[in-house]
Amino acid sequence: RALDMVVPNSSTEWPINCGGDNEALCDAVRAAAVDRQVLVGVANSAVKGQLDKWIESNRRAGISNMLIVAIDEELPVWLASKGVACWARPDKALGSHMISAQKFKFVKSFLSVGASVLMSDIDVVYLRNPFRFLWGDADIEGTTDGWDDGSAYGWMEQLDDPSLGPVGRFRPAMRITAWNSGLWYASATHASLRLMTILAYRMEHEPKTWDQAAFGEEVARPARDGHHAAGIVKRALNYWCFANSKTVFRRMRVEPQVSGHSPVVVHANYHQPKQPRMDAVYNRWHLGQTDALDTFNSEPTSVLPAPALEKNFLHQINDGFVSGGDTRTALQALSQGCGPLPSIHSVGVTLHLLPRTECEPQDTLCQACRRVARKSPSGVEEVMLVLAVAAEAEPLRLLLSSAKRAGVTSLVIAAADPALGTALGDTEGVPVVDVSGQLSGGASPAAVAELRWQLVGRLLNRRLGLLSASAATLLVSDPFLSLYRDADIEAMSLGWDDPSAYGYNHVIDDPSMGFTRFCHGSRIVGYEPNLFYASPTIEAVSVARRMGDRMRAAGGGAPIPEGGA
C-alpha cells in the first residue's frame, strides 16, 4: 500500500515545521539530505577515532548524505573540519546504552520535518550505498540479529500443555530474533512518527529498559489495551545483504555458495572487541584483501538453528512463562471493564478504509449482511459472520441464544453445508445463507477455511466490518462494544496471561558466541482464527487473500494449519 508520508512526495515544500527549535535541524537536513533521506549517527567526542573510520568507509561506499547528532560541544567543530553535516544536541548522557537511548527522540525530530532516516550505530561498516538497496514499501525496514531464514524472518513452534487434553494441548506460537536497534530505516511516515513517539516515551519513563529490548518489543508486539500500536508496515532486510557479524564470520567466511557475495553493510554487533572485526570487513571488501576475514580462522564455522540451540532446554509450556509476573495491563479490565482504553502514549491510527460499494445482485450473502448490519461509531456497517456446517447445529443454536441475550442482532450464518438450515430449525430471523456451492474440493476443514477467508475478503471489499466467529462461540455481552477499531485485524489470543497473549522479550543462548551469547527476540502465542474482527481496509483484504491462498495450498497437501498461518 502507499505509505502515509509526513510530507507527500508531490509536495515542493520540504522540509516542514522548521520554526523555533527546529531551525537548526532543518538547516542540517537541507545540507545533508539526498532524496529527503539521511544516514544518521549519534556520537560524542569520546569516539572520534572510530567515527573517523566510519566516515571514511561511508565515503568509499558512495554515501554523501550522512549527518551526525553531536551530543557534546566539542564534536561539531571536529565534524566541520571533516566536512560532515551536524545537528548539535548537547547531552550529558554517558555510556553506550544511555547515548543509544536518546536516538528515538532524535529520529522523531527528523521525521517530523519530513526527513527519512537510516539510523546507524558507528560499529557498522558500509560497503555499498545502502539507500540503493532499501525497498521503500514499509514504514520501518530493519536489520535482524538472525543468521538463517528462521531466526531472521521468524518461525512457528508448537506449545504443548498436556493438562488440556488431546484437543487443547497443542497451540502455535510465533518466534523471531530481534531487529537490531543499531541499524534500521524509518521512512518519514505518520506510522514511523507514532513508533518514535512510543519509544521516546518508554525511554523517558522506563530508565532501566534497554533501547534494544524496547525497539524489538514495539516492532513485534501487537496493540493491546491502552498500549496502542504504531500501526507500522515493517520489512526485514535480507541478512546476507544487511549482515550482522555472526552471519559474516560464521557463515559468509566459509560457505562456498556466498564466497563471491558482497554485502551492502556489516554490523559488528556480535563480537568484542569490535574494531578488529570492522577492520577485517573493511580490508576484505573495500581494499579487496580476499583473505582478510581469515584473521579470525579460529571462529567456529557452523551455526545452529534456534530450535537446535534450545533442544536441551527443559520446557514447561515453552520455558515456563505461564503465569508471567506482569499481568497488570490485562487486569485493568476487572476494574475498568472490557471497553476500549485511551492510548497511554497519545497516539492514534487512521485506517485505510475502503469505499462503500453495493452488493452484486447475485451475492445473497452480502445482501443479507447489509440488511442486518449495525453502524460503528465511525459509520462503518458491521456484522458478525459465522460459517458453519450441519454437524455444528447444536453449538450454533447455543450461539444464537447467547447472541439474543447479549443484544447482538447483526448476525449472519453462512452455511457451508446445504443441510445446515434444516438442522438448525427456527433461527428467529437470523439469516442463513447457503454458500456450499462456493466450496472448492469438497467440505474438508481446509476447504471450509479457504471459503471463510474468501467470504471475508469479498465482504470487506464492500466496506463491511466483520466479526468472524466459529459456531463454538458464546457471547456473554455485546463484543462490538469492546472493539478498538484502530487495527486492520483485532484477534482473540490463544494466550492465558500478559506474556503469552501480548508477547515478551525472549532470549536465545548460544554459548559458542562468548560475550554476545545472548540473542534477544520475541515470542508470542498465536491468534485464534475462529474469532477475529477485520476492518474493511486495504490491508485486511490483503490478509484475507493471503490466508485464502495458504488454505488452498493446505487443501492440496501442504502442512499449513490455519492457526499457524
PDB file of all heavy atoms in Angstrom, residues 248-249 251-255 258-263 279-297:
ATOM      1  N   VAL A 248      28.456 -13.022   9.012  1.00  0.00           N
ATOM      2  CA  VAL A 248      29.671 -12.831   8.218  1.00  0.00           C
ATOM      3  C   VAL A 248      30.779 -13.787   8.644  1.00  0.00           C
ATOM      4  O   VAL A 248      31.374 -14.486   7.818  1.00  0.00           O
ATOM      5  CB  VAL A 248      30.150 -11.371   8.313  1.00  0.00           C
ATOM      6  CG1 VAL A 248      31.551 -11.212   7.700  1.00  0.00           C
ATOM      7  CG2 VAL A 248      29.165 -10.448   7.606  1.00  0.00           C
ATOM      8  N   PHE A 249      31.076 -13.856   9.947  1.00  0.00           N
ATOM      9  CA  PHE A 249      32.250 -14.607  10.389  1.00  0.00           C
ATOM     10  C   PHE A 249      31.972 -16.083  10.623  1.00  0.00           C
ATOM     11  O   PHE A 249      32.915 -16.892  10.612  1.00  0.00           O
ATOM     12  CB  PHE A 249      32.833 -13.957  11.645  1.00  0.00           C
ATOM     13  CG  PHE A 249      33.524 -12.658  11.356  1.00  0.00           C
ATOM     14  CD1 PHE A 249      32.855 -11.454  11.510  1.00  0.00           C
ATOM     15  CD2 PHE A 249      34.824 -12.629  10.887  1.00  0.00           C
ATOM     16  CE1 PHE A 249      33.473 -10.246  11.238  1.00  0.00           C
ATOM     17  CE2 PHE A 249      35.462 -11.435  10.601  1.00  0.00           C
ATOM     18  CZ  PHE A 249      34.782 -10.237  10.778  1.00  0.00           C
ATOM     19  N   ARG A 251      29.412 -17.755   8.738  1.00  0.00           N
ATOM     20  CA  ARG A 251      28.875 -18.363   7.525  1.00  0.00           C
ATOM     21  C   ARG A 251      29.539 -17.826   6.250  1.00  0.00           C
ATOM     22  O   ARG A 251      30.086 -18.572   5.462  1.00  0.00           O
ATOM     23  CB  ARG A 251      27.356 -18.145   7.456  1.00  0.00           C
ATOM     24  CG  ARG A 251      26.581 -18.756   8.629  1.00  0.00           C
ATOM     25  CD  ARG A 251      25.093 -18.822   8.333  1.00  0.00           C
ATOM     26  NE  ARG A 251      24.826 -19.709   7.194  1.00  0.00           N
ATOM     27  CZ  ARG A 251      23.637 -19.846   6.622  1.00  0.00           C
ATOM     28  NH1 ARG A 251      22.606 -19.129   7.057  1.00  0.00           N
ATOM     29  NH2 ARG A 251      23.475 -20.665   5.601  1.00  0.00           N
ATOM     30  N   MET A 252      29.486 -16.513   6.071  1.00  0.00           N
ATOM     31  CA  MET A 252      29.979 -15.931   4.824  1.00  0.00           C
ATOM     32  C   MET A 252      31.468 -16.193   4.627  1.00  0.00           C
ATOM     33  O   MET A 252      31.947 -16.345   3.494  1.00  0.00           O
ATOM     34  CB  MET A 252      29.682 -14.428   4.820  1.00  0.00           C
ATOM     35  CG  MET A 252      29.602 -13.806   3.443  1.00  0.00           C
ATOM     36  SD  MET A 252      29.086 -12.067   3.517  1.00  0.00           S
ATOM     37  CE  MET A 252      27.379 -12.241   4.055  1.00  0.00           C
ATOM     38  N   ARG A 253      32.201 -16.281   5.715  1.00  0.00           N
ATOM     39  CA  ARG A 253      33.649 -16.501   5.628  1.00  0.00           C
ATOM     40  C   ARG A 253      33.993 -17.871   5.070  1.00  0.00           C
ATOM     41  O   ARG A 253      35.040 -18.042   4.411  1.00  0.00           O
ATOM     42  CB  ARG A 253      34.270 -16.334   7.032  1.00  0.00           C
ATOM     43  CG  ARG A 253      35.775 -16.500   7.091  1.00  0.00           C
ATOM     44  CD  ARG A 253      36.300 -16.171   8.474  1.00  0.00           C
ATOM     45  NE  ARG A 253      35.864 -17.131   9.471  1.00  0.00           N
ATOM     46  CZ  ARG A 253      36.508 -18.288   9.721  1.00  0.00           C
ATOM     47  NH1 ARG A 253      37.596 -18.595   9.032  1.00  0.00           N
ATOM     48  NH2 ARG A 253      36.058 -19.106  10.653  1.00  0.00           N
ATOM     49  N   VAL A 254      33.103 -18.864   5.261  1.00  0.00           N
ATOM     50  CA  VAL A 254      33.479 -20.244   4.926  1.00  0.00           C
ATOM     51  C   VAL A 254      32.539 -20.951   3.944  1.00  0.00           C
ATOM     52  O   VAL A 254      32.931 -21.965   3.361  1.00  0.00           O
ATOM     53  CB  VAL A 254      33.567 -21.093   6.216  1.00  0.00           C
ATOM     54  CG1 VAL A 254      34.694 -20.594   7.101  1.00  0.00           C
ATOM     55  CG2 VAL A 254      32.249 -21.115   6.969  1.00  0.00           C
ATOM     56  N   GLU A 255      31.330 -20.465   3.752  1.00  0.00           N
ATOM     57  CA  GLU A 255      30.380 -21.191   2.904  1.00  0.00           C
ATOM     58  C   GLU A 255      30.625 -20.865   1.432  1.00  0.00           C
ATOM     59  O   GLU A 255      30.551 -19.704   1.023  1.00  0.00           O
ATOM     60  CB  GLU A 255      28.947 -20.857   3.305  1.00  0.00           C
ATOM     61  CG  GLU A 255      28.592 -21.362   4.706  1.00  0.00           C
ATOM     62  CD  GLU A 255      27.135 -21.152   5.059  1.00  0.00           C
ATOM     63  OE1 GLU A 255      26.325 -20.875   4.149  1.00  0.00           O
ATOM     64  OE2 GLU A 255      26.806 -21.276   6.260  1.00  0.00           O
ATOM     65  N   VAL A 258      28.467 -18.451  -0.980  1.00  0.00           N
ATOM     66  CA  VAL A 258      28.432 -16.993  -0.797  1.00  0.00           C
ATOM     67  C   VAL A 258      29.833 -16.390  -0.856  1.00  0.00           C
ATOM     68  O   VAL A 258      30.025 -15.241  -0.485  1.00  0.00           O
ATOM     69  CB  VAL A 258      27.745 -16.614   0.538  1.00  0.00           C
ATOM     70  CG1 VAL A 258      26.270 -16.917   0.481  1.00  0.00           C
ATOM     71  CG2 VAL A 258      28.395 -17.312   1.723  1.00  0.00           C
ATOM     72  N   SER A 259      30.803 -17.159  -1.341  1.00  0.00           N
ATOM     73  CA  SER A 259      32.190 -16.673  -1.337  1.00  0.00           C
ATOM     74  C   SER A 259      32.369 -15.440  -2.222  1.00  0.00           C
ATOM     75  O   SER A 259      33.220 -14.593  -1.948  1.00  0.00           O
ATOM     76  CB  SER A 259      33.132 -17.793  -1.795  1.00  0.00           C
ATOM     77  OG  SER A 259      32.803 -18.204  -3.117  1.00  0.00           O
ATOM     78  N   GLY A 260      31.568 -15.312  -3.276  1.00  0.00           N
ATOM     79  CA  GLY A 260      31.701 -14.161  -4.168  1.00  0.00           C
ATOM     80  C   GLY A 260      30.719 -13.044  -3.867  1.00  0.00           C
ATOM     81  O   GLY A 260      30.668 -12.050  -4.599  1.00  0.00           O
ATOM     82  N   HIS A 261      29.961 -13.205  -2.795  1.00  0.00           N
ATOM     83  CA  HIS A 261      28.916 -12.224  -2.477  1.00  0.00           C
ATOM     84  C   HIS A 261      29.503 -11.038  -1.712  1.00  0.00           C
ATOM     85  O   HIS A 261      30.341 -11.199  -0.836  1.00  0.00           O
ATOM     86  CB  HIS A 261      27.828 -12.889  -1.625  1.00  0.00           C
ATOM     87  CG  HIS A 261      26.805 -11.937  -1.088  1.00  0.00           C
ATOM     88  ND1 HIS A 261      25.924 -11.257  -1.895  1.00  0.00           N
ATOM     89  CD2 HIS A 261      26.528 -11.548   0.190  1.00  0.00           C
ATOM     90  CE1 HIS A 261      25.141 -10.496  -1.147  1.00  0.00           C
ATOM     91  NE2 HIS A 261      25.494 -10.654   0.125  1.00  0.00           N
ATOM     92  N   SER A 262      29.026  -9.851  -2.059  1.00  0.00           N
ATOM     93  CA  SER A 262      29.439  -8.645  -1.333  1.00  0.00           C
ATOM     94  C   SER A 262      28.228  -8.074  -0.614  1.00  0.00           C
ATOM     95  O   SER A 262      27.258  -7.666  -1.253  1.00  0.00           O
ATOM     96  CB  SER A 262      29.996  -7.597  -2.300  1.00  0.00           C
ATOM     97  OG  SER A 262      30.263  -6.384  -1.611  1.00  0.00           O
ATOM     98  N   PRO A 263      28.248  -8.046   0.716  1.00  0.00           N
ATOM     99  CA  PRO A 263      27.119  -7.438   1.433  1.00  0.00           C
ATOM    100  C   PRO A 263      27.079  -5.933   1.213  1.00  0.00           C
ATOM    101  O   PRO A 263      28.046  -5.320   0.750  1.00  0.00           O
ATOM    102  CB  PRO A 263      27.400  -7.788   2.895  1.00  0.00           C
ATOM    103  CG  PRO A 263      28.852  -8.059   2.959  1.00  0.00           C
ATOM    104  CD  PRO A 263      29.275  -8.566   1.615  1.00  0.00           C
ATOM    105  N   ASP A 279      37.764  -3.778  10.970  1.00  0.00           N
ATOM    106  CA  ASP A 279      38.934  -3.642  10.100  1.00  0.00           C
ATOM    107  C   ASP A 279      39.000  -4.790   9.093  1.00  0.00           C
ATOM    108  O   ASP A 279      39.316  -4.579   7.904  1.00  0.00           O
ATOM    109  CB  ASP A 279      40.204  -3.625  10.944  1.00  0.00           C
ATOM    110  CG  ASP A 279      40.349  -2.352  11.766  1.00  0.00           C
ATOM    111  OD1 ASP A 279      39.664  -1.355  11.455  1.00  0.00           O
ATOM    112  OD2 ASP A 279      41.137  -2.360  12.735  1.00  0.00           O
ATOM    113  N   ALA A 280      38.687  -6.004   9.541  1.00  0.00           N
ATOM    114  CA  ALA A 280      38.717  -7.157   8.632  1.00  0.00           C
ATOM    115  C   ALA A 280      37.682  -7.006   7.524  1.00  0.00           C
ATOM    116  O   ALA A 280      37.958  -7.313   6.349  1.00  0.00           O
ATOM    117  CB  ALA A 280      38.480  -8.445   9.421  1.00  0.00           C
ATOM    118  N   VAL A 281      36.493  -6.544   7.877  1.00  0.00           N
ATOM    119  CA  VAL A 281      35.441  -6.324   6.870  1.00  0.00           C
ATOM    120  C   VAL A 281      35.875  -5.233   5.891  1.00  0.00           C
ATOM    121  O   VAL A 281      35.728  -5.377   4.667  1.00  0.00           O
ATOM    122  CB  VAL A 281      34.114  -5.954   7.567  1.00  0.00           C
ATOM    123  CG1 VAL A 281      33.087  -5.458   6.554  1.00  0.00           C
ATOM    124  CG2 VAL A 281      33.566  -7.151   8.349  1.00  0.00           C
ATOM    125  N   TYR A 282      36.410  -4.151   6.421  1.00  0.00           N
ATOM    126  CA  TYR A 282      36.884  -3.048   5.589  1.00  0.00           C
ATOM    127  C   TYR A 282      37.959  -3.540   4.615  1.00  0.00           C
ATOM    128  O   TYR A 282      37.923  -3.252   3.410  1.00  0.00           O
ATOM    129  CB  TYR A 282      37.426  -1.947   6.496  1.00  0.00           C
ATOM    130  CG  TYR A 282      37.956  -0.721   5.790  1.00  0.00           C
ATOM    131  CD1 TYR A 282      37.148   0.387   5.591  1.00  0.00           C
ATOM    132  CD2 TYR A 282      39.276  -0.671   5.353  1.00  0.00           C
ATOM    133  CE1 TYR A 282      37.646   1.519   4.963  1.00  0.00           C
ATOM    134  CE2 TYR A 282      39.779   0.451   4.714  1.00  0.00           C
ATOM    135  CZ  TYR A 282      38.957   1.552   4.529  1.00  0.00           C
ATOM    136  OH  TYR A 282      39.442   2.660   3.891  1.00  0.00           O
ATOM    137  N   ASN A 283      38.911  -4.295   5.134  1.00  0.00           N
ATOM    138  CA  ASN A 283      40.009  -4.778   4.288  1.00  0.00           C
ATOM    139  C   ASN A 283      39.514  -5.767   3.237  1.00  0.00           C
ATOM    140  O   ASN A 283      40.001  -5.780   2.096  1.00  0.00           O
ATOM    141  CB  ASN A 283      41.087  -5.438   5.149  1.00  0.00           C
ATOM    142  CG  ASN A 283      41.790  -4.441   6.051  1.00  0.00           C
ATOM    143  OD1 ASN A 283      41.769  -3.236   5.794  1.00  0.00           O
ATOM    144  ND2 ASN A 283      42.389  -4.935   7.124  1.00  0.00           N
ATOM    145  N   ARG A 284      38.530  -6.605   3.623  1.00  0.00           N
ATOM    146  CA  ARG A 284      38.029  -7.620   2.688  1.00  0.00           C
ATOM    147  C   ARG A 284      37.321  -6.979   1.499  1.00  0.00           C
ATOM    148  O   ARG A 284      37.605  -7.324   0.340  1.00  0.00           O
ATOM    149  CB  ARG A 284      37.077  -8.580   3.424  1.00  0.00           C
ATOM    150  CG  ARG A 284      36.259  -9.489   2.508  1.00  0.00           C
ATOM    151  CD  ARG A 284      37.130 -10.465   1.727  1.00  0.00           C
ATOM    152  NE  ARG A 284      36.362 -11.282   0.807  1.00  0.00           N
ATOM    153  CZ  ARG A 284      36.064 -10.940  -0.430  1.00  0.00           C
ATOM    154  NH1 ARG A 284      36.479  -9.761  -0.910  1.00  0.00           N
ATOM    155  NH2 ARG A 284      35.384 -11.741  -1.215  1.00  0.00           N
ATOM    156  N   TRP A 285      36.422  -6.041   1.756  1.00  0.00           N
ATOM    157  CA  TRP A 285      35.591  -5.562   0.649  1.00  0.00           C
ATOM    158  C   TRP A 285      35.963  -4.176   0.147  1.00  0.00           C
ATOM    159  O   TRP A 285      35.767  -3.887  -1.023  1.00  0.00           O
ATOM    160  CB  TRP A 285      34.113  -5.611   1.052  1.00  0.00           C
ATOM    161  CG  TRP A 285      33.581  -7.025   0.962  1.00  0.00           C
ATOM    162  CD1 TRP A 285      33.345  -7.729  -0.188  1.00  0.00           C
ATOM    163  CD2 TRP A 285      33.250  -7.893   2.039  1.00  0.00           C
ATOM    164  NE1 TRP A 285      32.874  -8.985   0.112  1.00  0.00           N
ATOM    165  CE2 TRP A 285      32.796  -9.120   1.480  1.00  0.00           C
ATOM    166  CE3 TRP A 285      33.275  -7.767   3.421  1.00  0.00           C
ATOM    167  CZ2 TRP A 285      32.388 -10.193   2.254  1.00  0.00           C
ATOM    168  CZ3 TRP A 285      32.862  -8.835   4.195  1.00  0.00           C
ATOM    169  CH2 TRP A 285      32.425 -10.031   3.614  1.00  0.00           C
ATOM    170  N   HIS A 286      36.521  -3.313   0.969  1.00  0.00           N
ATOM    171  CA  HIS A 286      36.944  -2.006   0.465  1.00  0.00           C
ATOM    172  C   HIS A 286      38.338  -2.078  -0.157  1.00  0.00           C
ATOM    173  O   HIS A 286      38.605  -1.426  -1.174  1.00  0.00           O
ATOM    174  CB  HIS A 286      36.930  -0.969   1.590  1.00  0.00           C
ATOM    175  CG  HIS A 286      35.591  -0.312   1.787  1.00  0.00           C
ATOM    176  ND1 HIS A 286      34.811   0.135   0.745  1.00  0.00           N
ATOM    177  CD2 HIS A 286      34.892  -0.022   2.930  1.00  0.00           C
ATOM    178  CE1 HIS A 286      33.687   0.661   1.214  1.00  0.00           C
ATOM    179  NE2 HIS A 286      33.708   0.573   2.539  1.00  0.00           N
ATOM    180  N   LEU A 287      39.221  -2.863   0.456  1.00  0.00           N
ATOM    181  CA  LEU A 287      40.591  -2.952  -0.066  1.00  0.00           C
ATOM    182  C   LEU A 287      40.820  -4.187  -0.921  1.00  0.00           C
ATOM    183  O   LEU A 287      41.901  -4.339  -1.500  1.00  0.00           O
ATOM    184  CB  LEU A 287      41.589  -2.914   1.104  1.00  0.00           C
ATOM    185  CG  LEU A 287      41.528  -1.674   2.010  1.00  0.00           C
ATOM    186  CD1 LEU A 287      42.641  -1.721   3.044  1.00  0.00           C
ATOM    187  CD2 LEU A 287      41.599  -0.386   1.193  1.00  0.00           C
ATOM    188  N   GLY A 288      39.839  -5.086  -0.980  1.00  0.00           N
ATOM    189  CA  GLY A 288      39.949  -6.251  -1.849  1.00  0.00           C
ATOM    190  C   GLY A 288      40.880  -7.334  -1.345  1.00  0.00           C
ATOM    191  O   GLY A 288      41.341  -8.172  -2.132  1.00  0.00           O
ATOM    192  N   GLN A 289      41.175  -7.368  -0.047  1.00  0.00           N
ATOM    193  CA  GLN A 289      42.038  -8.417   0.514  1.00  0.00           C
ATOM    194  C   GLN A 289      41.178  -9.661   0.785  1.00  0.00           C
ATOM    195  O   GLN A 289      40.494  -9.757   1.804  1.00  0.00           O
ATOM    196  CB  GLN A 289      42.697  -7.917   1.801  1.00  0.00           C
ATOM    197  CG  GLN A 289      43.614  -6.724   1.589  1.00  0.00           C
ATOM    198  CD  GLN A 289      44.166  -6.168   2.898  1.00  0.00           C
ATOM    199  OE1 GLN A 289      44.011  -6.763   3.973  1.00  0.00           O
ATOM    200  NE2 GLN A 289      44.816  -5.000   2.818  1.00  0.00           N
ATOM    201  N   THR A 290      41.204 -10.603  -0.133  1.00  0.00           N
ATOM    202  CA  THR A 290      40.258 -11.720  -0.103  1.00  0.00           C
ATOM    203  C   THR A 290      40.422 -12.619   1.122  1.00  0.00           C
ATOM    204  O   THR A 290      39.498 -13.344   1.479  1.00  0.00           O
ATOM    205  CB  THR A 290      40.403 -12.573  -1.367  1.00  0.00           C
ATOM    206  OG1 THR A 290      41.771 -13.003  -1.496  1.00  0.00           O
ATOM    207  CG2 THR A 290      40.023 -11.766  -2.601  1.00  0.00           C
ATOM    208  N   ASP A 291      41.585 -12.590   1.765  1.00  0.00           N
ATOM    209  CA  ASP A 291      41.787 -13.438   2.942  1.00  0.00           C
ATOM    210  C   ASP A 291      41.661 -12.664   4.254  1.00  0.00           C
ATOM    211  O   ASP A 291      42.016 -13.182   5.319  1.00  0.00           O
ATOM    212  CB  ASP A 291      43.164 -14.108   2.878  1.00  0.00           C
ATOM    213  CG  ASP A 291      44.303 -13.081   2.857  1.00  0.00           C
ATOM    214  OD1 ASP A 291      44.019 -11.876   2.659  1.00  0.00           O
ATOM    215  OD2 ASP A 291      45.461 -13.489   3.032  1.00  0.00           O
ATOM    216  N   ALA A 292      41.130 -11.434   4.201  1.00  0.00           N
ATOM    217  CA  ALA A 292      41.104 -10.579   5.388  1.00  0.00           C
ATOM    218  C   ALA A 292      40.282 -11.185   6.522  1.00  0.00           C
ATOM    219  O   ALA A 292      40.645 -11.072   7.696  1.00  0.00           O
ATOM    220  CB  ALA A 292      40.561  -9.197   5.028  1.00  0.00           C
ATOM    221  N   LEU A 293      39.178 -11.868   6.184  1.00  0.00           N
ATOM    222  CA  LEU A 293      38.331 -12.435   7.233  1.00  0.00           C
ATOM    223  C   LEU A 293      39.005 -13.616   7.923  1.00  0.00           C
ATOM    224  O   LEU A 293      38.639 -13.989   9.037  1.00  0.00           O
ATOM    225  CB  LEU A 293      36.978 -12.876   6.659  1.00  0.00           C
ATOM    226  CG  LEU A 293      36.128 -11.788   5.978  1.00  0.00           C
ATOM    227  CD1 LEU A 293      34.782 -12.379   5.562  1.00  0.00           C
ATOM    228  CD2 LEU A 293      35.915 -10.588   6.896  1.00  0.00           C
ATOM    229  N   ASP A 294      39.992 -14.210   7.252  1.00  0.00           N
ATOM    230  CA  ASP A 294      40.665 -15.380   7.822  1.00  0.00           C
ATOM    231  C   ASP A 294      41.558 -15.026   9.005  1.00  0.00           C
ATOM    232  O   ASP A 294      42.132 -15.917   9.640  1.00  0.00           O
ATOM    233  CB  ASP A 294      41.485 -16.088   6.738  1.00  0.00           C
ATOM    234  CG  ASP A 294      40.592 -16.736   5.696  1.00  0.00           C
ATOM    235  OD1 ASP A 294      39.442 -17.068   6.044  1.00  0.00           O
ATOM    236  OD2 ASP A 294      41.031 -16.890   4.538  1.00  0.00           O
ATOM    237  N   THR A 295      41.687 -13.754   9.286  1.00  0.00           N
ATOM    238  CA  THR A 295      42.350 -13.346  10.527  1.00  0.00           C
ATOM    239  C   THR A 295      41.678 -14.007  11.718  1.00  0.00           C
ATOM    240  O   THR A 295      42.301 -14.262  12.755  1.00  0.00           O
ATOM    241  CB  THR A 295      42.296 -11.809  10.669  1.00  0.00           C
ATOM    242  OG1 THR A 295      42.883 -11.216   9.518  1.00  0.00           O
ATOM    243  CG2 THR A 295      43.025 -11.345  11.920  1.00  0.00           C
ATOM    244  N   PHE A 296      40.405 -14.336  11.531  1.00  0.00           N
ATOM    245  CA  PHE A 296      39.617 -14.938  12.600  1.00  0.00           C
ATOM    246  C   PHE A 296      39.268 -16.389  12.259  1.00  0.00           C
ATOM    247  O   PHE A 296      38.140 -16.825  12.425  1.00  0.00           O
ATOM    248  CB  PHE A 296      38.352 -14.105  12.846  1.00  0.00           C
ATOM    249  CG  PHE A 296      38.637 -12.694  13.243  1.00  0.00           C
ATOM    250  CD1 PHE A 296      38.660 -11.674  12.293  1.00  0.00           C
ATOM    251  CD2 PHE A 296      38.926 -12.381  14.564  1.00  0.00           C
ATOM    252  CE1 PHE A 296      38.943 -10.371  12.661  1.00  0.00           C
ATOM    253  CE2 PHE A 296      39.215 -11.077  14.937  1.00  0.00           C
ATOM    254  CZ  PHE A 296      39.226 -10.062  13.987  1.00  0.00           C
ATOM    255  N   ASN A 297      40.272 -17.127  11.778  1.00  0.00           N
ATOM    256  CA  ASN A 297      40.003 -18.515  11.383  1.00  0.00           C
ATOM    257  C   ASN A 297      39.798 -19.450  12.576  1.00  0.00           C
ATOM    258  O   ASN A 297      39.478 -20.622  12.396  1.00  0.00           O
ATOM    259  CB  ASN A 297      41.105 -19.062  10.465  1.00  0.00           C
ATOM    260  CG  ASN A 297      42.492 -18.967  11.085  1.00  0.00           C
ATOM    261  OD1 ASN A 297      42.627 -18.779  12.310  1.00  0.00           O
ATOM    262  ND2 ASN A 297      43.524 -19.078  10.251  1.00  0.00           N
TER     263      ASN A 297
END
